[in-house]
Amino acid sequence: MSQLVVSIIIPAWNAERYVKDAVYSALSQTYPNVEIIVVDDGSTDNTRELLQPYADEKKIVYVYQKNKGLAG
């Protein structure tokens, strides 16, 4: 029987101050079968640049969208 995949979804908007800590925390989990998805809701700070290395190394899935606000 295979293990279930656990999806960790991290919403971000202008989160450069905290987003690396959030990703590090998710990567540090002991359950081996996780996917980490960061949804960037139109950040105008350096959030994208901070997350790009993680996305390039396939450690996270990075999704950028135009700002839609909390409900988006």
Side-chain angles (χ1 to χ4, degrees):
M1 186 169 137
S2 63
Q3 288 186 322
L4 298 175
V5 174
V6 173
S7 297
I8 300 171
I9 301 171
I10 302 172
W13 179 76
N14 288 347
E16 71 178 320
R17 185 171 176 191
Y18 305 105
V19 74
K20 283 180 72 174
D21 288 339
V23 169
Y24 178 75
S25 178
L27 289 170
S28 298
Q29 298 305 304
T30 58
Y31 187 78
N33 204 10
V34 298
E35 66 176 349
I36 302 166
I37 304 166
V38 180
V39 180
D40 184 343
D41 191 32
S43 291
T44 57
D45 62 1
N46 290 320
T47 297
R48 180 182 288 197
E49 291 80 5
L50 291 173
L51 295 174
Q52 197 61 54
Y54 295 103
D56 290 345
E57 294 175 16
K58 307 287 190 238
K59 292 182 177 182
I60 67 168
V61 175
Y62 177 73
V63 178
Y64 181 86
Q65 66 184 21
K66 231 177 183 178
N67 185 271
K68 296 181 181 179
L70 187 58

